[in-house]
Amino acid sequence: MSLTHHEFWTLVHGMVFGAVFLLGFAGGLEGLWSLRPHLMTAEGIRGRALRLKIGTTAMAVAAWGTVLTGTWIVYPWYREDVPDSPRSVLLADPAREQWHHFGMEWKEHIAWMSPILATVVAFIVLYYGAGLILHERLRRTTLVLFVLAFVLAAVAGILGALITKTAPLV
C-alpha cells in the first residue's frame, strides 16, 4: 500500500491524532468520573491521579496536533484556488455549496475550541493532581469541560469526514 503526500498527512491528521485523542478521552473520562473519596484508597488515588494526568495530557496534545496539522497542512489543500480543489468543487455545485458555507465554516472555528478546553482540563489535573478528589465542584466542572472538548472535536471530525466524503482531498 502506498500513500500520496496528501493522503499521508490526512491520515496523520485524522487517524493518528484522532486515535490518541479518543484513547486520552476514554482514560481521562474514566479517571475524572471515578475520582471520588468513597470509592478509593489512598494508594488507589495516587495511581488514579497518575493515569488521569497522562490521559488528559495525551488528549490535549493530540487535540493540538489535530488542529495544527489540519489548519496548517491539510486545510490549505482544501482551500486551494484551483478548479479541482475540494472547496471549488463544493462551491461549483449549488446542491453541495452548503457543505462549505455551513460545514467547513463551522468546522474551522469549532475545532479550535477543543484543544483550548482540553488544555484547561490538563492544567487543572496537573495542578491539583490527587487533590482534585477533595474539590467535588472543581472535579465536576473539569469533567464538563473535558466532555465539551470531546463533543466539539467530534462535531468538527464528523463535519470533516462528511465534507471529505462529498469532495475528497485528492
Side-chain angles (χ1 to χ4, degrees):
M1 179 172 87
S2 65
L3 297 172
T4 67
H5 181 69
H6 287 189
E7 290 170 335
F8 171 78
W9 281 107
T10 303
L11 180 74
V12 168
H13 166 70
M15 297 300 290
V16 173
F17 285 124
V20 173
F21 183 83
L22 286 173
L23 289 171
F25 176 71
L29 181 66
E30 185 276 331
L32 283 169
W33 182 261
S34 63
L35 194 61
R36 301 176 192 182
H38 66 279
L39 296 177
M40 318 220 48
T41 63
E43 185 177 318
I45 291 171
R46 282 189 294 279
R48 179 71 45 96
L50 177 62
R51 288 191 306 275
L52 186 57
K53 289 176 182 180
I54 292 168
T56 57
T57 302
M59 184 176 160
V61 169
W64 281 110
T66 303
V67 167
L68 293 174
T69 58
T71 300
W72 301 110
I73 297 173
V74 177
Y75 183 63
W77 298 328
Y78 166 84
R79 231 178 156 83
E80 280 182 312
D81 195 17
V82 295
D84 62 341
S85 75
R87 179 180 177 266
S88 299
V89 169
L90 291 176
L91 292 175
D93 182 0
R96 296 192 296 176
E97 70 180 338
Q98 279 305 103
W99 281 112
H100 172 74
H101 290 304
F102 175 77
M104 197 58 167
E105 295 298 328
W106 266 87
K107 178 184 173 14
E108 290 170 14
H109 296 91
I110 202 169
W112 277 92
M113 293 302 297
S114 181
I116 292 168
L117 291 173
T119 302
V120 168
V121 169
F123 175 80
I124 291 169
V125 168
L126 290 170
Y127 184 82
Y128 283 93
L132 195 58
I133 200 167
L134 302 173
H135 304 282
E136 179 65 21
R137 188 177 200 178
L138 181 60
R139 185 187 65 82
R140 287 182 187 207
T141 302
T142 305
L143 188 58
V144 168
L145 293 173
F146 196 64
V147 170
L148 188 58
F150 177 78
V151 168
L152 293 173
V155 169
I158 289 168
L159 286 171
L162 292 172
I163 291 166
T164 300
K165 180 78 172 153
T166 306
L169 188 64
V170 186

